[in-house]
């Protein structure tokens, strides 16, 4: 151990890589039965004019969490959303400016809770379906697919889907949300049976009002804090 430490100390400063650090944020929501993510249009090079995730460099005194909150507010006009750290992307050629590593976060937000406040610093924030994304700047397509994989896994063993739904919802809305995330059809009868067996949701005693269809029972998640399920849902 001491020998390795001495070898490290004896290296020249030019032997060490000094990458810059950025933060990128993936915000998922479900709109019209489709999983979508929030993108911006980059205002500056490289990739000026290209769609991208909200992201940017850390400022002096910031950690990555604070930087992610600032970036969302400044570039996408979004604030007050729950985020968790996803992964660090560190390919040396991911940025044409040189070695720039990205600490990424992702968030799950109900559509109704996303309020975009346009300011002079926002960069045309808009939503795009995850299943047909355009070519994005940097490696942001890869980042989104990594986040989508994490989300697909997470809803199978936790109650994380509550973060994408309003407090009260119908079984159909819940079913469509899971299908949107997974990108495939689910047998409705088996799915509903498993939901009840896991005590994942409870009926509120209320029904939907108005509309062309028959009133539907409203449900809510038994718990609206992230929890592990007693056994896998999917």
């Amino acid at each position: 151990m001491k020998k390795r430490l001495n070898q490290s100390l004896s290296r020249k400063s030019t032997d060490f890589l000094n990458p810059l650090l950025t933060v990128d944020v993936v915000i998922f929501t479900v709109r019209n039965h489709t999983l979508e993510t929030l993108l911006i249009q980059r205002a500056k090079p490289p990739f000026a004019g290209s769609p991208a995730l909200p992201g940017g460099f850390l400022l002096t005194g910031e950690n990555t969490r604070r930087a992610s909150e600032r970036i969302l507010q400044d570039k996408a006009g979004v604030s007050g959303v729950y985020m968790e750290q996803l992964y660090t992307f560190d390919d040396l050629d991911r940025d044409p400016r040189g070695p720039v590593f990205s600490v990424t976060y992702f968030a799950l937000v109900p559509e109704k809770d996303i309020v975009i406040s346009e300011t002079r610093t926002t960069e045309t924030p808009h939503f795009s379906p995850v299943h047909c994304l355009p070519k994005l700047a940097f490696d942001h397509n890869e980042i989104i697919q990594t986040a989508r994989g994490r989300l697909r896994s997470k809803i199978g063993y936790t109650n994380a889907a509550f973060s994408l739904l309003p407090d009260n919802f119908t079984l159909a809305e819940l079913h469509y949300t899971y299908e949107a995330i997974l990108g495939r059809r689910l047998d409705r009868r088996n799915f509903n049976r498993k939901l009840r067996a896991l005590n994942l949701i409870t009926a509120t005693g209320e029904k939907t009002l108005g509309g062309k269809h028959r009133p539907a029972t409203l449900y809510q998640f038994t718990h609206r804090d992230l929890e592990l399920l007693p056994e896998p849902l999917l």
Side-chain angles (χ1 to χ4, degrees), residues 27-37 107-112 114 127 130 151 161 163-166 172-182:
I27 291 185
F28 286 129
T29 195
V30 173
R31 307 193 326 153
N32 301 319
H33 306 164
T34 301
L35 183 66
E36 299 191 359
T37 192
L108 311 177
V109 188
E111 179 187 3
K112 70 177 184 62
I114 297 179
F127 284 96
V130 173
L151 174 56
S163 297
L164 289 166
L165 287 151
E173 290 171 331
L174 181 62
H175 186 257
Y176 288 134
T177 295
Y178 274 85
E179 287 189 335
I181 295 169
L182 296 171

PDB file of all heavy atoms in Angstrom, residues 27-37 107-112 114 127 130 151 161 163-166 172-182:
ATOM      1  N   ILE A  27     -36.195  14.050 -16.640  1.00  0.00           N
ATOM      2  CA  ILE A  27     -37.512  14.123 -15.999  1.00  0.00           C
ATOM      3  C   ILE A  27     -38.489  13.305 -16.823  1.00  0.00           C
ATOM      4  O   ILE A  27     -38.725  13.582 -18.000  1.00  0.00           O
ATOM      5  CB  ILE A  27     -38.016  15.572 -15.896  1.00  0.00           C
ATOM      6  CG1 ILE A  27     -37.167  16.364 -14.900  1.00  0.00           C
ATOM      7  CG2 ILE A  27     -39.476  15.591 -15.444  1.00  0.00           C
ATOM      8  CD1 ILE A  27     -37.679  17.756 -14.651  1.00  0.00           C
ATOM      9  N   PHE A  28     -39.061  12.282 -16.181  1.00  0.00           N
ATOM     10  CA  PHE A  28     -40.073  11.459 -16.838  1.00  0.00           C
ATOM     11  C   PHE A  28     -41.464  11.868 -16.367  1.00  0.00           C
ATOM     12  O   PHE A  28     -41.680  12.175 -15.196  1.00  0.00           O
ATOM     13  CB  PHE A  28     -39.884   9.978 -16.501  1.00  0.00           C
ATOM     14  CG  PHE A  28     -38.723   9.314 -17.182  1.00  0.00           C
ATOM     15  CD1 PHE A  28     -37.794   8.589 -16.453  1.00  0.00           C
ATOM     16  CD2 PHE A  28     -38.570   9.383 -18.565  1.00  0.00           C
ATOM     17  CE1 PHE A  28     -36.737   7.958 -17.085  1.00  0.00           C
ATOM     18  CE2 PHE A  28     -37.507   8.757 -19.204  1.00  0.00           C
ATOM     19  CZ  PHE A  28     -36.589   8.047 -18.457  1.00  0.00           C
ATOM     20  N   THR A  29     -42.413  11.834 -17.297  1.00  0.00           N
ATOM     21  CA  THR A  29     -43.823  11.963 -16.961  1.00  0.00           C
ATOM     22  C   THR A  29     -44.608  11.122 -17.950  1.00  0.00           C
ATOM     23  O   THR A  29     -44.080  10.698 -18.985  1.00  0.00           O
ATOM     24  CB  THR A  29     -44.277  13.438 -16.992  1.00  0.00           C
ATOM     25  OG1 THR A  29     -45.546  13.567 -16.338  1.00  0.00           O
ATOM     26  CG2 THR A  29     -44.404  13.958 -18.425  1.00  0.00           C
ATOM     27  N   VAL A  30     -45.876  10.855 -17.645  1.00  0.00           N
ATOM     28  CA  VAL A  30     -46.744  10.110 -18.561  1.00  0.00           C
ATOM     29  C   VAL A  30     -47.831  11.047 -19.036  1.00  0.00           C
ATOM     30  O   VAL A  30     -48.592  11.596 -18.228  1.00  0.00           O
ATOM     31  CB  VAL A  30     -47.350   8.862 -17.881  1.00  0.00           C
ATOM     32  CG1 VAL A  30     -48.372   8.203 -18.805  1.00  0.00           C
ATOM     33  CG2 VAL A  30     -46.250   7.875 -17.511  1.00  0.00           C
ATOM     34  N   ARG A  31     -47.879  11.254 -20.356  1.00  0.00           N
ATOM     35  CA  ARG A  31     -48.885  12.115 -20.972  1.00  0.00           C
ATOM     36  C   ARG A  31     -49.535  11.345 -22.096  1.00  0.00           C
ATOM     37  O   ARG A  31     -48.861  10.735 -22.929  1.00  0.00           O
ATOM     38  CB  ARG A  31     -48.243  13.390 -21.529  1.00  0.00           C
ATOM     39  CG  ARG A  31     -47.403  14.128 -20.510  1.00  0.00           C
ATOM     40  CD  ARG A  31     -47.011  15.523 -20.938  1.00  0.00           C
ATOM     41  NE  ARG A  31     -46.772  15.712 -22.356  1.00  0.00           N
ATOM     42  CZ  ARG A  31     -46.930  16.872 -22.996  1.00  0.00           C
ATOM     43  NH1 ARG A  31     -47.359  17.930 -22.335  1.00  0.00           N
ATOM     44  NH2 ARG A  31     -46.661  16.981 -24.263  1.00  0.00           N
ATOM     45  N   ASN A  32     -50.885  11.357 -22.098  1.00  0.00           N
ATOM     46  CA  ASN A  32     -51.640  10.647 -23.144  1.00  0.00           C
ATOM     47  C   ASN A  32     -51.189   9.200 -23.283  1.00  0.00           C
ATOM     48  O   ASN A  32     -50.955   8.695 -24.385  1.00  0.00           O
ATOM     49  CB  ASN A  32     -51.494  11.376 -24.484  1.00  0.00           C
ATOM     50  CG  ASN A  32     -51.987  12.798 -24.424  1.00  0.00           C
ATOM     51  OD1 ASN A  32     -53.020  13.091 -23.821  1.00  0.00           O
ATOM     52  ND2 ASN A  32     -51.247  13.713 -25.034  1.00  0.00           N
ATOM     53  N   HIS A  33     -51.021   8.528 -22.128  1.00  0.00           N
ATOM     54  CA  HIS A  33     -50.647   7.110 -22.083  1.00  0.00           C
ATOM     55  C   HIS A  33     -49.259   6.855 -22.658  1.00  0.00           C
ATOM     56  O   HIS A  33     -48.948   5.730 -23.072  1.00  0.00           O
ATOM     57  CB  HIS A  33     -51.670   6.229 -22.815  1.00  0.00           C
ATOM     58  CG  HIS A  33     -53.071   6.415 -22.351  1.00  0.00           C
ATOM     59  ND1 HIS A  33     -54.175   5.980 -23.060  1.00  0.00           N
ATOM     60  CD2 HIS A  33     -53.573   7.012 -21.231  1.00  0.00           C
ATOM     61  CE1 HIS A  33     -55.287   6.290 -22.408  1.00  0.00           C
ATOM     62  NE2 HIS A  33     -54.938   6.929 -21.302  1.00  0.00           N
ATOM     63  N   THR A  34     -48.404   7.864 -22.686  1.00  0.00           N
ATOM     64  CA  THR A  34     -47.073   7.740 -23.282  1.00  0.00           C
ATOM     65  C   THR A  34     -46.023   8.258 -22.309  1.00  0.00           C
ATOM     66  O   THR A  34     -46.194   9.324 -21.717  1.00  0.00           O
ATOM     67  CB  THR A  34     -46.985   8.550 -24.592  1.00  0.00           C
ATOM     68  OG1 THR A  34     -47.983   8.071 -25.505  1.00  0.00           O
ATOM     69  CG2 THR A  34     -45.618   8.397 -25.237  1.00  0.00           C
ATOM     70  N   LEU A  35     -44.926   7.509 -22.146  1.00  0.00           N
ATOM     71  CA  LEU A  35     -43.827   7.970 -21.312  1.00  0.00           C
ATOM     72  C   LEU A  35     -43.036   9.018 -22.081  1.00  0.00           C
ATOM     73  O   LEU A  35     -42.574   8.774 -23.197  1.00  0.00           O
ATOM     74  CB  LEU A  35     -42.915   6.793 -20.947  1.00  0.00           C
ATOM     75  CG  LEU A  35     -41.746   7.123 -20.009  1.00  0.00           C
ATOM     76  CD1 LEU A  35     -42.253   7.526 -18.628  1.00  0.00           C
ATOM     77  CD2 LEU A  35     -40.791   5.937 -19.902  1.00  0.00           C
ATOM     78  N   GLU A  36     -42.897  10.197 -21.481  1.00  0.00           N
ATOM     79  CA  GLU A  36     -42.202  11.293 -22.146  1.00  0.00           C
ATOM     80  C   GLU A  36     -41.119  11.861 -21.225  1.00  0.00           C
ATOM     81  O   GLU A  36     -41.147  11.657 -20.009  1.00  0.00           O
ATOM     82  CB  GLU A  36     -43.184  12.399 -22.542  1.00  0.00           C
ATOM     83  CG  GLU A  36     -44.253  11.915 -23.521  1.00  0.00           C
ATOM     84  CD  GLU A  36     -45.065  13.048 -24.118  1.00  0.00           C
ATOM     85  OE1 GLU A  36     -44.812  14.219 -23.770  1.00  0.00           O
ATOM     86  OE2 GLU A  36     -45.942  12.762 -24.939  1.00  0.00           O
ATOM     87  N   THR A  37     -40.186  12.561 -21.821  1.00  0.00           N
ATOM     88  CA  THR A  37     -39.122  13.194 -21.051  1.00  0.00           C
ATOM     89  C   THR A  37     -38.971  14.645 -21.464  1.00  0.00           C
ATOM     90  O   THR A  37     -39.288  15.016 -22.604  1.00  0.00           O
ATOM     91  CB  THR A  37     -37.788  12.443 -21.224  1.00  0.00           C
ATOM     92  OG1 THR A  37     -36.844  12.914 -20.253  1.00  0.00           O
ATOM     93  CG2 THR A  37     -37.204  12.636 -22.609  1.00  0.00           C
ATOM     94  N   ALA A 107     -35.949  12.046 -12.410  1.00  0.00           N
ATOM     95  CA  ALA A 107     -37.102  12.375 -11.586  1.00  0.00           C
ATOM     96  C   ALA A 107     -38.365  11.832 -12.238  1.00  0.00           C
ATOM     97  O   ALA A 107     -38.449  11.713 -13.461  1.00  0.00           O
ATOM     98  CB  ALA A 107     -37.218  13.889 -11.415  1.00  0.00           C
ATOM     99  N   LEU A 108     -39.353  11.500 -11.402  1.00  0.00           N
ATOM    100  CA  LEU A 108     -40.660  11.035 -11.864  1.00  0.00           C
ATOM    101  C   LEU A 108     -41.687  12.041 -11.360  1.00  0.00           C
ATOM    102  O   LEU A 108     -41.811  12.259 -10.151  1.00  0.00           O
ATOM    103  CB  LEU A 108     -40.974   9.646 -11.297  1.00  0.00           C
ATOM    104  CG  LEU A 108     -39.882   8.589 -11.425  1.00  0.00           C
ATOM    105  CD1 LEU A 108     -40.310   7.289 -10.743  1.00  0.00           C
ATOM    106  CD2 LEU A 108     -39.562   8.338 -12.886  1.00  0.00           C
ATOM    107  N   VAL A 109     -42.425  12.643 -12.280  1.00  0.00           N
ATOM    108  CA  VAL A 109     -43.315  13.740 -11.901  1.00  0.00           C
ATOM    109  C   VAL A 109     -44.659  13.577 -12.603  1.00  0.00           C
ATOM    110  O   VAL A 109     -44.700  13.375 -13.823  1.00  0.00           O
ATOM    111  CB  VAL A 109     -42.705  15.111 -12.279  1.00  0.00           C
ATOM    112  CG1 VAL A 109     -43.548  16.240 -11.709  1.00  0.00           C
ATOM    113  CG2 VAL A 109     -41.269  15.221 -11.807  1.00  0.00           C
ATOM    114  N   PRO A 110     -45.789  13.677 -11.873  1.00  0.00           N
ATOM    115  CA  PRO A 110     -47.093  13.674 -12.544  1.00  0.00           C
ATOM    116  C   PRO A 110     -47.199  14.869 -13.484  1.00  0.00           C
ATOM    117  O   PRO A 110     -46.694  15.962 -13.183  1.00  0.00           O
ATOM    118  CB  PRO A 110     -48.103  13.798 -11.393  1.00  0.00           C
ATOM    119  CG  PRO A 110     -47.359  13.401 -10.162  1.00  0.00           C
ATOM    120  CD  PRO A 110     -45.922  13.774 -10.405  1.00  0.00           C
ATOM    121  N   GLU A 111     -47.857  14.679 -14.606  1.00  0.00           N
ATOM    122  CA  GLU A 111     -47.978  15.753 -15.596  1.00  0.00           C
ATOM    123  C   GLU A 111     -48.532  17.027 -14.990  1.00  0.00           C
ATOM    124  O   GLU A 111     -48.048  18.130 -15.268  1.00  0.00           O
ATOM    125  CB  GLU A 111     -48.868  15.289 -16.753  1.00  0.00           C
ATOM    126  CG  GLU A 111     -49.070  16.339 -17.821  1.00  0.00           C
ATOM    127  CD  GLU A 111     -50.086  15.932 -18.871  1.00  0.00           C
ATOM    128  OE1 GLU A 111     -50.685  14.846 -18.740  1.00  0.00           O
ATOM    129  OE2 GLU A 111     -50.280  16.710 -19.822  1.00  0.00           O
ATOM    130  N   LYS A 112     -49.534  16.898 -14.123  1.00  0.00           N
ATOM    131  CA  LYS A 112     -50.199  18.079 -13.565  1.00  0.00           C
ATOM    132  C   LYS A 112     -49.285  18.896 -12.651  1.00  0.00           C
ATOM    133  O   LYS A 112     -49.545  20.072 -12.381  1.00  0.00           O
ATOM    134  CB  LYS A 112     -51.449  17.659 -12.785  1.00  0.00           C
ATOM    135  CG  LYS A 112     -51.168  16.927 -11.495  1.00  0.00           C
ATOM    136  CD  LYS A 112     -52.438  16.613 -10.729  1.00  0.00           C
ATOM    137  CE  LYS A 112     -52.130  15.966  -9.383  1.00  0.00           C
ATOM    138  NZ  LYS A 112     -51.353  16.841  -8.489  1.00  0.00           N
ATOM    139  N   ILE A 114     -46.036  19.507 -13.230  1.00  0.00           N
ATOM    140  CA  ILE A 114     -44.937  20.148 -13.946  1.00  0.00           C
ATOM    141  C   ILE A 114     -45.396  21.511 -14.451  1.00  0.00           C
ATOM    142  O   ILE A 114     -46.274  21.614 -15.302  1.00  0.00           O
ATOM    143  CB  ILE A 114     -44.452  19.283 -15.122  1.00  0.00           C
ATOM    144  CG1 ILE A 114     -43.899  17.958 -14.589  1.00  0.00           C
ATOM    145  CG2 ILE A 114     -43.379  20.014 -15.925  1.00  0.00           C
ATOM    146  CD1 ILE A 114     -43.427  17.028 -15.671  1.00  0.00           C
ATOM    147  N   PHE A 127     -41.673  18.509 -24.141  1.00  0.00           N
ATOM    148  CA  PHE A 127     -41.678  17.069 -23.870  1.00  0.00           C
ATOM    149  C   PHE A 127     -41.567  16.288 -25.172  1.00  0.00           C
ATOM    150  O   PHE A 127     -42.062  16.709 -26.216  1.00  0.00           O
ATOM    151  CB  PHE A 127     -42.951  16.659 -23.134  1.00  0.00           C
ATOM    152  CG  PHE A 127     -42.938  17.042 -21.685  1.00  0.00           C
ATOM    153  CD1 PHE A 127     -43.543  18.219 -21.256  1.00  0.00           C
ATOM    154  CD2 PHE A 127     -42.313  16.236 -20.754  1.00  0.00           C
ATOM    155  CE1 PHE A 127     -43.522  18.577 -19.916  1.00  0.00           C
ATOM    156  CE2 PHE A 127     -42.283  16.581 -19.422  1.00  0.00           C
ATOM    157  CZ  PHE A 127     -42.891  17.749 -19.001  1.00  0.00           C
ATOM    158  N   VAL A 130     -40.446   9.050 -25.212  1.00  0.00           N
ATOM    159  CA  VAL A 130     -39.181   8.337 -25.053  1.00  0.00           C
ATOM    160  C   VAL A 130     -38.973   7.306 -26.157  1.00  0.00           C
ATOM    161  O   VAL A 130     -37.842   7.025 -26.553  1.00  0.00           O
ATOM    162  CB  VAL A 130     -39.126   7.672 -23.663  1.00  0.00           C
ATOM    163  CG1 VAL A 130     -37.900   6.785 -23.517  1.00  0.00           C
ATOM    164  CG2 VAL A 130     -39.131   8.749 -22.575  1.00  0.00           C
ATOM    165  N   LEU A 151     -35.982   2.881 -14.445  1.00  0.00           N
ATOM    166  CA  LEU A 151     -37.388   3.049 -14.097  1.00  0.00           C
ATOM    167  C   LEU A 151     -38.162   1.750 -14.290  1.00  0.00           C
ATOM    168  O   LEU A 151     -38.958   1.360 -13.435  1.00  0.00           O
ATOM    169  CB  LEU A 151     -38.000   4.162 -14.953  1.00  0.00           C
ATOM    170  CG  LEU A 151     -39.504   4.384 -14.817  1.00  0.00           C
ATOM    171  CD1 LEU A 151     -39.898   4.651 -13.378  1.00  0.00           C
ATOM    172  CD2 LEU A 151     -39.956   5.516 -15.728  1.00  0.00           C
ATOM    173  N   ALA A 161     -44.230   3.962  -8.953  1.00  0.00           N
ATOM    174  CA  ALA A 161     -45.191   4.509  -9.915  1.00  0.00           C
ATOM    175  C   ALA A 161     -46.067   5.592  -9.300  1.00  0.00           C
ATOM    176  O   ALA A 161     -46.655   6.400 -10.027  1.00  0.00           O
ATOM    177  CB  ALA A 161     -46.061   3.395 -10.484  1.00  0.00           C
ATOM    178  N   SER A 163     -45.185   8.189  -8.053  1.00  0.00           N
ATOM    179  CA  SER A 163     -44.608   9.491  -8.390  1.00  0.00           C
ATOM    180  C   SER A 163     -45.070  10.013  -9.736  1.00  0.00           C
ATOM    181  O   SER A 163     -44.829  11.175 -10.055  1.00  0.00           O
ATOM    182  CB  SER A 163     -43.073   9.392  -8.390  1.00  0.00           C
ATOM    183  OG  SER A 163     -42.586   9.066  -7.120  1.00  0.00           O
ATOM    184  N   LEU A 164     -45.709   9.166 -10.532  1.00  0.00           N
ATOM    185  CA  LEU A 164     -46.170   9.573 -11.858  1.00  0.00           C
ATOM    186  C   LEU A 164     -47.676   9.770 -11.926  1.00  0.00           C
ATOM    187  O   LEU A 164     -48.200  10.130 -12.985  1.00  0.00           O
ATOM    188  CB  LEU A 164     -45.748   8.524 -12.896  1.00  0.00           C
ATOM    189  CG  LEU A 164     -44.251   8.473 -13.212  1.00  0.00           C
ATOM    190  CD1 LEU A 164     -43.917   7.194 -13.977  1.00  0.00           C
ATOM    191  CD2 LEU A 164     -43.822   9.691 -14.009  1.00  0.00           C
ATOM    192  N   LEU A 165     -48.360   9.544 -10.830  1.00  0.00           N
ATOM    193  CA  LEU A 165     -49.822   9.609 -10.823  1.00  0.00           C
ATOM    194  C   LEU A 165     -50.323  10.640  -9.815  1.00  0.00           C
ATOM    195  O   LEU A 165     -49.649  10.924  -8.817  1.00  0.00           O
ATOM    196  CB  LEU A 165     -50.403   8.234 -10.472  1.00  0.00           C
ATOM    197  CG  LEU A 165     -50.304   7.188 -11.583  1.00  0.00           C
ATOM    198  CD1 LEU A 165     -50.206   5.795 -11.008  1.00  0.00           C
ATOM    199  CD2 LEU A 165     -51.514   7.304 -12.507  1.00  0.00           C
ATOM    200  N   PRO A 166     -51.516  11.192 -10.064  1.00  0.00           N
ATOM    201  CA  PRO A 166     -52.121  12.091  -9.064  1.00  0.00           C
ATOM    202  C   PRO A 166     -52.496  11.307  -7.817  1.00  0.00           C
ATOM    203  O   PRO A 166     -52.422  10.070  -7.790  1.00  0.00           O
ATOM    204  CB  PRO A 166     -53.351  12.641  -9.791  1.00  0.00           C
ATOM    205  CG  PRO A 166     -53.691  11.593 -10.807  1.00  0.00           C
ATOM    206  CD  PRO A 166     -52.384  11.006 -11.246  1.00  0.00           C
ATOM    207  N   ALA A 172     -57.719   2.079 -14.690  1.00  0.00           N
ATOM    208  CA  ALA A 172     -57.302   2.222 -16.088  1.00  0.00           C
ATOM    209  C   ALA A 172     -56.107   3.153 -16.202  1.00  0.00           C
ATOM    210  O   ALA A 172     -55.144   2.872 -16.935  1.00  0.00           O
ATOM    211  CB  ALA A 172     -58.466   2.742 -16.933  1.00  0.00           C
ATOM    212  N   GLU A 173     -56.118   4.263 -15.475  1.00  0.00           N
ATOM    213  CA  GLU A 173     -54.992   5.198 -15.510  1.00  0.00           C
ATOM    214  C   GLU A 173     -53.721   4.545 -14.982  1.00  0.00           C
ATOM    215  O   GLU A 173     -52.628   4.744 -15.532  1.00  0.00           O
ATOM    216  CB  GLU A 173     -55.335   6.446 -14.695  1.00  0.00           C
ATOM    217  CG  GLU A 173     -56.399   7.332 -15.333  1.00  0.00           C
ATOM    218  CD  GLU A 173     -56.875   8.437 -14.428  1.00  0.00           C
ATOM    219  OE1 GLU A 173     -56.843   8.263 -13.180  1.00  0.00           O
ATOM    220  OE2 GLU A 173     -57.273   9.500 -14.945  1.00  0.00           O
ATOM    221  N   LEU A 174     -53.853   3.775 -13.919  1.00  0.00           N
ATOM    222  CA  LEU A 174     -52.696   3.077 -13.366  1.00  0.00           C
ATOM    223  C   LEU A 174     -52.154   2.048 -14.356  1.00  0.00           C
ATOM    224  O   LEU A 174     -50.938   1.945 -14.566  1.00  0.00           O
ATOM    225  CB  LEU A 174     -53.095   2.388 -12.060  1.00  0.00           C
ATOM    226  CG  LEU A 174     -51.988   1.632 -11.320  1.00  0.00           C
ATOM    227  CD1 LEU A 174     -50.879   2.572 -10.895  1.00  0.00           C
ATOM    228  CD2 LEU A 174     -52.561   0.904 -10.108  1.00  0.00           C
ATOM    229  N   HIS A 175     -53.064   1.313 -14.973  1.00  0.00           N
ATOM    230  CA  HIS A 175     -52.691   0.299 -15.958  1.00  0.00           C
ATOM    231  C   HIS A 175     -51.951   0.931 -17.130  1.00  0.00           C
ATOM    232  O   HIS A 175     -50.895   0.453 -17.563  1.00  0.00           O
ATOM    233  CB  HIS A 175     -53.958  -0.423 -16.429  1.00  0.00           C
ATOM    234  CG  HIS A 175     -53.705  -1.574 -17.326  1.00  0.00           C
ATOM    235  ND1 HIS A 175     -53.896  -1.517 -18.688  1.00  0.00           N
ATOM    236  CD2 HIS A 175     -53.262  -2.830 -17.073  1.00  0.00           C
ATOM    237  CE1 HIS A 175     -53.601  -2.677 -19.227  1.00  0.00           C
ATOM    238  NE2 HIS A 175     -53.208  -3.496 -18.284  1.00  0.00           N
ATOM    239  N   TYR A 176     -52.476   2.041 -17.651  1.00  0.00           N
ATOM    240  CA  TYR A 176     -51.831   2.724 -18.781  1.00  0.00           C
ATOM    241  C   TYR A 176     -50.444   3.256 -18.400  1.00  0.00           C
ATOM    242  O   TYR A 176     -49.523   3.267 -19.226  1.00  0.00           O
ATOM    243  CB  TYR A 176     -52.694   3.886 -19.270  1.00  0.00           C
ATOM    244  CG  TYR A 176     -53.937   3.475 -20.000  1.00  0.00           C
ATOM    245  CD1 TYR A 176     -55.166   4.076 -19.720  1.00  0.00           C
ATOM    246  CD2 TYR A 176     -53.906   2.487 -20.981  1.00  0.00           C
ATOM    247  CE1 TYR A 176     -56.317   3.706 -20.403  1.00  0.00           C
ATOM    248  CE2 TYR A 176     -55.052   2.103 -21.664  1.00  0.00           C
ATOM    249  CZ  TYR A 176     -56.255   2.720 -21.365  1.00  0.00           C
ATOM    250  OH  TYR A 176     -57.391   2.344 -22.035  1.00  0.00           O
ATOM    251  N   THR A 177     -50.295   3.682 -17.142  1.00  0.00           N
ATOM    252  CA  THR A 177     -49.007   4.204 -16.693  1.00  0.00           C
ATOM    253  C   THR A 177     -47.944   3.109 -16.715  1.00  0.00           C
ATOM    254  O   THR A 177     -46.826   3.310 -17.210  1.00  0.00           O
ATOM    255  CB  THR A 177     -49.131   4.794 -15.277  1.00  0.00           C
ATOM    256  OG1 THR A 177     -50.009   5.929 -15.322  1.00  0.00           O
ATOM    257  CG2 THR A 177     -47.777   5.236 -14.735  1.00  0.00           C
ATOM    258  N   TYR A 178     -48.280   1.936 -16.192  1.00  0.00           N
ATOM    259  CA  TYR A 178     -47.326   0.821 -16.209  1.00  0.00           C
ATOM    260  C   TYR A 178     -47.018   0.392 -17.639  1.00  0.00           C
ATOM    261  O   TYR A 178     -45.854   0.098 -17.967  1.00  0.00           O
ATOM    262  CB  TYR A 178     -47.871  -0.353 -15.398  1.00  0.00           C
ATOM    263  CG  TYR A 178     -47.569  -0.258 -13.924  1.00  0.00           C
ATOM    264  CD1 TYR A 178     -48.399   0.472 -13.068  1.00  0.00           C
ATOM    265  CD2 TYR A 178     -46.453  -0.879 -13.375  1.00  0.00           C
ATOM    266  CE1 TYR A 178     -48.122   0.571 -11.713  1.00  0.00           C
ATOM    267  CE2 TYR A 178     -46.168  -0.791 -12.023  1.00  0.00           C
ATOM    268  CZ  TYR A 178     -47.006  -0.067 -11.191  1.00  0.00           C
ATOM    269  OH  TYR A 178     -46.720   0.027  -9.854  1.00  0.00           O
ATOM    270  N   GLU A 179     -48.020   0.348 -18.496  1.00  0.00           N
ATOM    271  CA  GLU A 179     -47.775  -0.035 -19.885  1.00  0.00           C
ATOM    272  C   GLU A 179     -46.885   0.984 -20.592  1.00  0.00           C
ATOM    273  O   GLU A 179     -46.016   0.613 -21.394  1.00  0.00           O
ATOM    274  CB  GLU A 179     -49.101  -0.184 -20.632  1.00  0.00           C
ATOM    275  CG  GLU A 179     -49.883  -1.424 -20.251  1.00  0.00           C
ATOM    276  CD  GLU A 179     -51.083  -1.661 -21.162  1.00  0.00           C
ATOM    277  OE1 GLU A 179     -51.590  -0.674 -21.749  1.00  0.00           O
ATOM    278  OE2 GLU A 179     -51.517  -2.819 -21.280  1.00  0.00           O
ATOM    279  N   ALA A 180     -47.085   2.260 -20.286  1.00  0.00           N
ATOM    280  CA  ALA A 180     -46.264   3.310 -20.909  1.00  0.00           C
ATOM    281  C   ALA A 180     -44.799   3.161 -20.507  1.00  0.00           C
ATOM    282  O   ALA A 180     -43.894   3.335 -21.327  1.00  0.00           O
ATOM    283  CB  ALA A 180     -46.782   4.692 -20.512  1.00  0.00           C
ATOM    284  N   ILE A 181     -44.563   2.842 -19.257  1.00  0.00           N
ATOM    285  CA  ILE A 181     -43.193   2.672 -18.775  1.00  0.00           C
ATOM    286  C   ILE A 181     -42.550   1.436 -19.377  1.00  0.00           C
ATOM    287  O   ILE A 181     -41.394   1.472 -19.832  1.00  0.00           O
ATOM    288  CB  ILE A 181     -43.174   2.583 -17.238  1.00  0.00           C
ATOM    289  CG1 ILE A 181     -43.641   3.910 -16.625  1.00  0.00           C
ATOM    290  CG2 ILE A 181     -41.785   2.215 -16.737  1.00  0.00           C
ATOM    291  CD1 ILE A 181     -43.914   3.828 -15.140  1.00  0.00           C
ATOM    292  N   LEU A 182     -43.280   0.344 -19.400  1.00  0.00           N
ATOM    293  CA  LEU A 182     -42.731  -0.929 -19.871  1.00  0.00           C
ATOM    294  C   LEU A 182     -42.650  -1.014 -21.383  1.00  0.00           C
ATOM    295  O   LEU A 182     -41.849  -1.785 -21.931  1.00  0.00           O
ATOM    296  CB  LEU A 182     -43.578  -2.087 -19.336  1.00  0.00           C
ATOM    297  CG  LEU A 182     -43.587  -2.251 -17.814  1.00  0.00           C
ATOM    298  CD1 LEU A 182     -44.630  -3.284 -17.408  1.00  0.00           C
ATOM    299  CD2 LEU A 182     -42.205  -2.674 -17.314  1.00  0.00           C
TER     300      LEU A 182
END
